[in-house]
Amino acid sequence: MTQEQNKRAPTQLQSERVINIIVREHQGLWRVIDLMDMLEQDMNINAKQPDELLLTTIFDYIEHFSDRVHSQPTEIFLYKLLREKSPETGPLLDKLERGYVIGHEKLQELRQLLKNCMVQWPDGREAFGHGLGRFSAALRKHIKKEEGVVIPRAREILNEDDWGAIVVARDQQDDPLFGERVREEFRELRHKIISLTPERLGGLGLAHSPRVTAHREGQEMLSIKGLVSSYGQIEVLHDVDITINAGEIVSLVGANGAGKSTLLMTISGLQSADKGQLLFDGEDLSTISADKRVTKGIVQVPEGRQVFKDMTVYDNLLLGAYTRSGDAEIQSDIERIYSKFPILRQKRYNLAGELSGGQQQMLAMGRALMSRPRLLLLDEPSMGLAPLIIEEIFEIIRELKDEGMTIFLVEQNASQALALADRGYVLETGNVVLTGTGKELLSNEKVREAYLGM
Ligand SMILES: Nc1ncnc2c1ncn2[C@@H]1O[C@H](COP(=O)(O)OP(=O)(O)OP(=O)(O)O)[C@@H](O)[C@H]1O
Ligand SMILES: [Mg+2]
């Protein structure tokens, strides 16, 4: 908001507005601290091994918060003004500042303790629980000081012009305390925490592998051996071997007509296999219908999105849950999708046909997520989209991986797909001609020439 606009809206004092923002951010942090306490109890009382992904996300949030908001307090206009106008607050602000530095170190220690706790369970439990408890107590004390001392003092000392100046500083987008962009980052991290938090603790209970363990990760999820598939007389896939391990993103690149979509459809059961073996979690898929494969967790987002254009966004999402029962759970999943794709919430009553291409892609992905996939098959999600939207789609794919999902990604946009991938395969006229880590393929001469245009 510009100063002009501020003048036109005199109903609320600037000071109140600024303080409200601080208090709201503190409340958000406070709830996260509550959650940390509950997770600690869960671990100690119920002897449950902690959810590493959730805790790591919480640590990321707190670290981000303290990095962006507190690591350079001199940049915060409020502190600066307060130091100038009320030098006696200096020592307190110094002390709080030191607290941020120590907090930062403690956070790194906690990350290490969590790692130990995961690897040596239940041995590392006590040390981690202890560290967690002390950390949350210190954070609480800190917030109380800011709210109980710093803000009241600022109320006394600063006049409305000062607060106005703080608002102006806030309007410089990246002001570390009030900048819209910074608050947006916090919101995103909080959303992620909420979606990962189990329902019984007040979250959305996003299904994710509760622990990205060394032994689960890397375990073979899909194994394809000697696969042959044809349309009538024309053989399209010749003797294809592909493995996808749990937790991986595997990218498949190849030219037009190479057989990429055919391969995905063979995995999801929409196209039949003439020969070869498809195992999912060790189970032979040959006699399992496409529908049944969805219930087992194999879910495809088809090429060209194919959303139901005459239905609303909401109804499209609901359709994604057709293999499931349990209304409350489905509704909470829809909420989870909305928090991942806020645009879908905004457009929930629009017809899917009214959405832009990028929005339709998000809807198609959202619909697939509604069936709680374990292996997500994405067929050219970036096709025909503007570069900025492509970035966003890739960001979401990265996020899904972080949540523990296994992803098989077909892309013509080879450089981005390989950069994102743990491993990749190159398909040429129905044959796998190359495989390796994403990095290896990216630097491979042949790949660079044929698919990266270098
Ligand atoms: N329904 C079909 N009937 C007959 N031939 C088909 C059919 N669908 C695809 N094909 C042929 O099979 C081959 C592989 O097609 P596929 O769609 O799997 O390739 P792709 O790698 O996904 O290509 P693109 O990059 O264009 O999406 C192509 O030669 C294509 O013409
Ligand atoms: Mg295709």
Side-chain angles (χ1 to χ4, degrees):
M1 202 183 279
T2 64
Q3 226 167 358
E4 277 284 289
Q5 282 168 303
N6 286 329
K7 277 188 196 136
R8 271 188 263 115
T11 42
Q12 197 186 14
L13 291 172
Q14 303 284 35
S15 50
E16 292 312 313
R17 280 193 176 154
V18 172
I19 291 169
N20 278 344
I21 290 177
I22 299 174
V23 170
R24 264 203 306 276
E25 291 302 340
H26 276 164
Q27 281 170 345
L29 182 57
W30 196 271
R31 278 195 293 273
V32 170
I33 303 171
D34 282 343
L35 175 62
M36 263 187 344
D37 288 348
M38 288 192 275
L39 292 171
E40 189 206 339
Q41 279 187 7
D42 234 26
M43 181 174 74
N44 286 332
I45 298 170
N46 305 329
K48 271 179 83 161
Q49 194 172 15
D51 180 337
E52 190 174 15
L53 179 60
L54 174 57
L55 279 160
T56 302
T57 309
I58 291 175
F59 295 160
D60 290 347
Y61 168 72
I62 296 171
E63 187 167 3
H64 198 64
F65 194 89
S66 79
D67 272 1
R68 294 303 301 258
V69 177
H70 296 309
S71 63
Q72 295 155 303
T74 48
E75 278 183 15
I76 300 174
F77 216 68
L78 169 66
Y79 280 29
K80 203 173 141 227
L81 283 177
L82 205 53
R83 278 179 196 275
E84 275 169 23
K85 297 194 123 186
S86 166
E88 74 279 9
T89 55
L92 171 65
L93 295 177
D94 289 347
K95 195 174 164 197
L96 288 173
E97 209 180 307
R98 268 198 306 280
Y100 302 130
V101 178
I102 296 168
H104 204 88
E105 287 163 10
K106 292 284 169 210
L107 208 49
Q108 305 318 313
E109 279 174 38
L110 269 184
R111 287 183 192 273
Q112 191 53 52
L113 288 172
L114 172 61
K115 275 222 175 72
N116 297 346
C117 175
M118 297 312 293
V119 177
Q120 298 161 8
W121 182 262
D123 278 356
R125 178 174 89 181
E126 208 178 305
F128 178 60
H130 192 67
L132 204 59
R134 288 186 47 170
F135 187 74
S136 64
L139 264 181
R140 285 214 157 92
K141 208 162 140 191
H142 194 101
I143 294 179
K144 280 185 187 156
K145 274 225 179 78
E146 281 201 333
E147 297 219 345
V149 184
V150 176
I151 293 178
R153 189 72 189 133
R155 263 190 219 275
E156 267 171 49
I157 297 287
L158 304 183
N159 58 37
E160 279 304 306
D161 283 344
D162 295 329
W163 291 106
I166 290 172
V167 171
V168 172
R170 176 191 72 184
D171 292 341
Q172 293 156 1
Q173 276 282 306
D174 50 359
D175 173 275
L177 186 49
F178 306 113
E180 190 50 48
R181 194 187 316 150
V182 173
R183 278 152 61 208
E184 183 63 35
E185 289 165 6
F186 296 150
R187 255 198 302 277
E188 269 173 34
L189 278 164
R190 272 207 303 272
H191 273 154
K192 193 169 166 198
I193 292 172
I194 292 166
S195 48
L196 292 172
T197 300
E199 282 171 82
R200 73 195 152 78
L201 299 181
L204 295 171
L206 174 71
H208 62 287
S209 43
R211 187 193 155 192
V212 188
T213 54
H215 70 268
R216 254 200 67 78
E217 209 179 51
Q219 208 174 51
E220 219 171 74
M221 181 179 264
L222 182 78
S223 154
I224 301 175
K225 287 212 173 83
L227 177 69
V228 174
S229 187
S230 318
Y231 295 106
Q233 299 292 313
I234 306 167
E235 191 175 296
V236 172
L237 298 176
H238 322 291
D239 199 17
V240 168
D241 290 353
I242 280 177
T243 305
I244 298 173
N245 300 313
E248 277 185 327
I249 295 188
V250 175
S251 291
L252 178 72
V253 298
N256 277 316
K260 305 181 297 293
S261 297
T262 305
L263 176 58
L264 284 197
M265 290 193 295
T266 315
I267 298 169
S268 60
L270 298 169
Q271 160 77 14
S272 60
D274 303 337
K275 250 196 242 161
Q277 190 186 47
L278 271 97
L279 299 180
F280 184 64
D281 281 343
E283 182 183 13
D284 182 4
L285 289 178
S286 58
T287 58
I288 296 178
S289 70
D291 272 4
K292 280 265 166 53
R293 291 186 200 190
V294 172
T295 51
K296 289 191 181 295
I298 302 178
V299 181
Q300 183 173 2
V301 181
E303 189 175 317
R305 359 258 192 233
Q306 300 180 21
V307 294
F308 296 95
K309 294 202 163 63
D310 298 332
M311 292 170 63
T312 62
V313 165
Y314 175 83
D315 286 336
N316 265 278
L317 288 176
L318 215 52
L319 265 186
Y322 76 101
T323 55
R324 298 171 44 196
S325 54
D327 265 0
E329 219 182 79
I330 289 174
Q331 289 310 320
S332 94
D333 274 14
I334 288 189
E335 278 305 313
R336 172 170 71 83
I337 304 293
Y338 285 158
S339 67
K340 197 176 271 314
F341 307 99
I343 188 71
L344 297 184
R345 185 200 302 279
Q346 207 179 312
K347 304 235 163 181
R348 60 192 182 278
Y349 302 129
N350 285 70
L351 296 180
E354 295 164 4
L355 303 184
S356 71
Q359 292 163 356
Q360 288 190 20
Q361 183 60 47
M362 291 178 191
L363 178 56
M365 290 171 73
R367 187 180 60 188
L369 294 178
M370 285 301 293
S371 17
R372 297 204 172 178
R374 294 183 46 235
L375 171 62
L376 187 64
L377 309 171
L378 296 173
D379 197 349
E380 308 218 22
S382 79
M383 191 170 53
L385 302 180
L388 271 180
I389 311 286
I390 295 180
E391 282 304 320
E392 200 164 332
I393 297 283
F394 275 100
E395 194 46 50
I396 289 162
I397 296 173
R398 199 170 294 131
E399 227 179 271
L400 289 172
K401 179 195 156 77
D402 287 345
E403 289 162 14
M405 193 163 303
T406 310
I407 296 165
F408 192 31
L409 172 65
V410 165
E411 264 297 336
Q412 293 217 10
N413 195 332
S415 53
Q416 266 171 301
L418 291 175
L420 188 67
D422 297 296
R423 293 185 305 112
Y425 291 88
V426 178
L427 194 66
E428 268 176 20
T429 55
N431 292 294
V432 171
V433 293
L434 260 180
T435 179
T437 65
K439 265 208 191 102
E440 282 164 3
L441 292 180
L442 266 180
S443 57
N444 179 287
E445 274 306 311
K446 227 181 128 197
V447 173
R448 292 169 72 85
E449 209 172 289
Y451 302 102
L452 307 177
M454 292 177 195

